Amino acid sequence: MSTTTYAPDLTAGSAPSSMRPTLAGLKHMISAGHYLATQAGMDVLQQGGNAIDAGVAAGIALGVVQSDIVNVGGVAPILVYEAKSNKVWSISGLGYWPRATRLETFMQKFGGTIPAGVLRTVIPAAPDAWITALERFGTMSFGEVAAGAIRLAREGFVMYPLMAEVIADNAKNYARWASSAAVYLPGGQPPVAGSIFRQADLAASLQYMADEERLCQGSGRLAGLAAARRAFYEGDIATAIVNYHKQEGGWLSHEDLRDFSVEVDPALSIDFRGTQVHSCGFWCQGPSLLQMLNILESRDLRALGHNSASYIHLLTEAIKLAFADREVHYADPRYATVPQQELLSKAYAAERLAMIAMNHAGPDMPAAGRLPQNRAIEMRPATAEDTARTDPRLDTSYVAVVDKDGNAFSATPSDGSYNTPVIPGTGLCASGRGSQSWADPEHPCRVGAGRRPRLTPNPSLAIRPGQYVMPFGTPGGDVQCQAMLQTFLNIEVFGMELQQAIEAPRFATFSFPSSFEPHNAMPGRLMIEDMVDHSVGDELKALGHAVQWWAGRNWRAGAMCAVKYDQQTGIRWGAADPRRPAYASGW
């Protein structure tokens, strides 16, 4: 493996040189949100697995080494580029509300809010998403790809500063449930950085799935994968989840788990100046990135100058417009009529662009388009606690892989462990992603049996036919699409190489209803990393933005990872964000 850095052509602006090199490999490349997950995926690649095998291995490992923000029983939206068919597929990786769910419960008992705990549980989707990816596109068994995660859970790993910080900050939340405290507050205290953190019950759960698979592997790989799925959704793990929910007043049933399956569909895409950018469906926020790119496509972004006041202003206003549509039009397409073609059309994007004034900030929350109808957007005022926050809700990671055959994998596994209890004896949580629904009968993403929340995690994948394939993504809640937009433009418009594009200073607006319960907004709030000159911030304030500053390369601005396969040279480039413990590796 070799490494290289090179300076981009930035005649219209400048960006600092990168802290790390962009890695280069000729056979395969992986980048993930934690270095041990990267290693788990790299081990699978070195054993002959493809991008999907390696991506699943890394994704499961993220549920171990980042179990504060990613859960084995959580969500895992996935994009897969299949080189032989030249198609991009979306695997939903998102559960829906149980059959027994009642919106009235939240309205009558909890004042229209969705409390932390078992009542915000939707059906765990990640295990089925990982197994479905292996069935459709992989080559290895569940036991083979989960081996690294099992070892990391059983033998432990060295607690690192960010995870220690998150657990310590949420110690009171973990203490609410004895089963959670037993894992995350060993000896009654949060684990400290440098200590060894073990999760024996989680190791046993994953091992149980692998053992059940092994008993059926004589009937073939697919039969084994089906057995691993049954172990989670019908076997001992399912029983533990259902029994705990019955005990605690939750809604999940054996039937909910048994009958669940993720959806596999062609990915959505738009063309940005000859590059096809792909996303999962309108059940997540991913299409908002596509809308942002459509809105910006016709503008000469390079002439504005990288991270100039005009550039940041234009992107911020485009983000606000896309998020207005997200708030009004995005929902589970199985239960709502989503104007998908209109939202992603170039004509509509031109109408939205025309709403942006370059001499002043627009409304804190601009109106969504009438496609064919509209609704008022409720801007719930942020509490003092929320106003003091400068970070997105922290509960996601990411993995990108490209293999020797050019297949690509992009996944954003998620679900924190501090707002819903660990299921006793399993070491995992049943997905608390119900926090991204609304306890509002008028909202398109309202709570309801069978309905899916509007998910923030959203992997992306860019393809410039005959030139490159690039899976990319990040954690960061409502910051995700904003960080992905800026990183993509850094590469596509400003010619930065991957690592420089990822490390370049970022910004994020919070002038919209948060995707997370209680869905508060911070009108005008624009956070900027302070590597941007403060005179730029002064210009933005004069335009009407409520500017505040993040110190340095801040983990709150996301943790981008990307792999770029150059189809002309055969080189696979990889980069990872130093804002968090993300790393790339290749060969």
Side-chain angles (χ1 to χ4, degrees):
M1 180 176 65
S2 64
T3 62
T4 185
T5 57
Y6 53 91
D9 177 14
L10 287 175
T11 55
S14 62
S17 59
S18 58
M19 300 167 62
R20 300 177 182 172
T22 296
L23 303 185
L26 293 175
K27 190 175 183 181
H28 44 237
M29 182 65 65
I30 179 172
S31 181
H34 190 280
Y35 48 88
L36 291 174
T38 297
Q39 185 61 54
M42 189 67 176
D43 289 345
V44 166
L45 288 167
Q46 295 289 66
Q47 292 164 16
N50 68 9
I52 291 78
D53 300 319
V56 171
I60 298 172
L62 288 169
V64 175
V65 298
Q66 292 187 312
S67 65
D68 54 330
I69 57 175
V70 178
N71 210 273
V72 167
V75 300
I78 300 168
L79 292 177
V80 172
Y81 170 66
E82 192 177 31
K84 65 181 180 182
S85 66
N86 198 35
K87 293 181 178 179
V88 181
W89 298 93
S90 163
I91 302 175
S92 59
L94 170 61
Y96 41 78
W97 285 94
R99 289 175 173 87
T101 300
R102 296 292 179 269
L103 171 61
E104 294 77 15
T105 299
F106 296 120
M107 296 174 62
Q108 295 169 5
K109 291 187 177 181
F110 301 102
T113 64
I114 303 172
V118 295
L119 284 182
R120 64 171 52 174
T121 300
V122 297
I123 300 169
D128 189 49
W130 300 134
I131 292 170
T132 298
L134 292 174
E135 286 175 336
R136 289 284 298 266
F137 309 106
T139 69
M140 300 177 78
S141 70
F142 177 85
E144 287 172 317
V145 302
I150 293 170
R151 186 169 62 251
L152 288 164
R154 180 182 294 132
E155 298 176 11
F157 60 91
V158 179
M159 178 60 61
Y160 51 96
L162 182 55
M163 184 172 180
E165 177 186 337
V166 172
I167 295 175
D169 286 348
N170 287 279
K172 290 183 179 179
N173 292 328
Y174 283 116
R176 286 180 288 184
W177 303 288
S179 54
S180 298
V183 176
Y184 294 100
L185 303 175
Q189 297 295 323
V192 298
S195 63
I196 299 175
F197 187 65
R198 297 182 176 89
Q199 298 165 90
D201 286 346
L202 184 55
S205 292
L206 291 169
Q207 187 64 60
Y208 165 65
M209 293 174 69
D211 290 345
E212 291 296 295
E213 174 187 55
R214 188 163 51 249
L215 293 174
C216 293
Q217 277 185 322
S219 300
R221 190 178 75 94
L222 295 182
L225 290 170
R229 176 189 283 109
R230 286 194 301 272
F232 187 94
Y233 290 94
E234 299 180 52
D236 292 351
I237 297 173
T239 297
I241 293 172
V242 172
N243 287 346
Y244 186 73
H245 269 245
K246 286 182 178 178
Q247 172 188 321
E248 297 296 318
W251 286 320
L252 267 183
S253 69
H254 282 291
E255 293 74 22
D256 291 319
L257 292 166
R258 180 198 65 203
D259 297 341
F260 178 75
S261 62
V262 297
E263 297 178 351
V264 182
D265 298 297
L268 301 179
S269 69
I270 55 99
D271 182 282
F272 180 86
R273 304 178 183 178
T275 299
Q276 299 159 4
V277 184
H278 296 80
S279 166
C280 294
F282 281 88
W283 43 266
C284 75
Q285 69 166 333
S288 65
L289 172 62
L290 308 187
Q291 285 195 253
M292 294 170 197
L293 289 169
N294 274 346
I295 293 170
L296 296 167
E297 183 180 24
S298 65
R299 292 297 302 268
D300 188 350
L301 301 173
R302 190 178 180 83
L304 294 176
H306 184 260
N307 278 353
S308 67
S310 295
Y311 180 78
I312 294 175
H313 171 74
L314 176 61
L315 265 63
T316 297
E317 295 303 296
I319 291 165
K320 288 159 60 177
L321 285 165
F323 278 178
D325 283 333
R326 182 188 72 167
E327 179 65 18
V328 170
H329 298 301
Y330 289 26
D332 187 342
R334 300 175 309 158
Y335 289 87
T337 301
V338 181
Q340 301 187 37
Q341 292 185 337
E342 294 91 338
L343 286 166
L344 297 183
S345 73
K346 299 295 186 181
Y348 180 66
E351 293 176 13
R352 301 299 271 169
L353 175 63
M355 296 173 64
I356 298 176
M358 291 301 293
N359 60 350
H360 63 84
D364 297 326
M365 190 77 266
R370 292 187 175 276
L371 300 172
Q373 55 189 346
N374 203 336
R375 57 183 287 273
I377 297 175
E378 181 184 3
M379 296 284 278
R380 298 180 184 178
T383 64
E385 178 186 2
D386 277 336
T387 302
R389 295 170 63 93
T390 60
D391 58 298
R393 305 296 182 181
L394 184 68
D395 67 344
T396 308
S397 195
Y398 178 75
V399 55
V401 193
V402 176
D403 64 24
K404 60 182 177 59
D405 296 317
N407 301 303
F409 183 93
S410 183
T412 314
S414 190
D415 280 359
S417 54
Y418 48 79
N419 58 14
T420 195
V422 170
I423 305 299
T426 69
L428 56 83
C429 301
S431 178
R433 191 50 61 165
S435 63
Q436 295 196 312
S437 290
W438 272 254
D440 175 356
E442 302 302 319
H443 199 282
C445 298
R446 59 186 173 273
V447 172
R451 290 176 175 267
R452 289 176 289 189
R454 191 190 74 207
L455 189 65
T456 46
N458 70 107
S460 194
L461 201 152
I463 299 174
R464 195 166 185 88
Q467 296 190 36
Y468 74 77
V469 174
M470 184 176 70
F472 66 103
T474 181
D478 289 314
V479 170
Q480 287 179 36
C481 289
Q482 304 187 59
M484 293 158 73
L485 173 70
Q486 293 167 68
T487 302
F488 176 79
L489 294 177
N490 289 346
I491 297 165
E492 194 80 358
V493 173
F494 293 97
M496 298 185 201
E497 48 86 23
L498 285 193
Q499 191 65 38
Q500 187 180 33
I502 284 172
E503 293 186 21
R506 291 202 287 265
F507 54 89
T509 174
F510 293 86
S511 189
F512 47 81
S514 168
S515 292
F516 294 85
E517 178 67 30
H519 307 296
N520 294 334
M522 289 180 272
R525 171 73 68 88
L526 178 61
M527 300 300 307
I528 309 174
E529 290 186 305
D530 63 6
M531 294 175 291
V532 174
D533 194 280
H534 276 240
S535 64
V536 171
D538 293 339
E539 291 182 60
L540 288 163
K541 288 179 183 177
L543 291 173
H545 299 281
V547 173
Q548 293 193 27
W549 298 92
W550 277 322
R553 290 183 176 89
N554 201 295
W555 63 260
R556 297 167 178 85
M560 289 293 307
C561 293
V563 172
K564 187 177 184 181
Y565 169 42
D566 186 324
Q567 294 174 310
Q568 297 179 328
T569 66
I571 298 172
R572 288 129 175 94
W573 302 97
D577 206 323
R579 292 171 176 85
R580 300 196 195 180
Y583 268 81
S585 183
W587 190 259

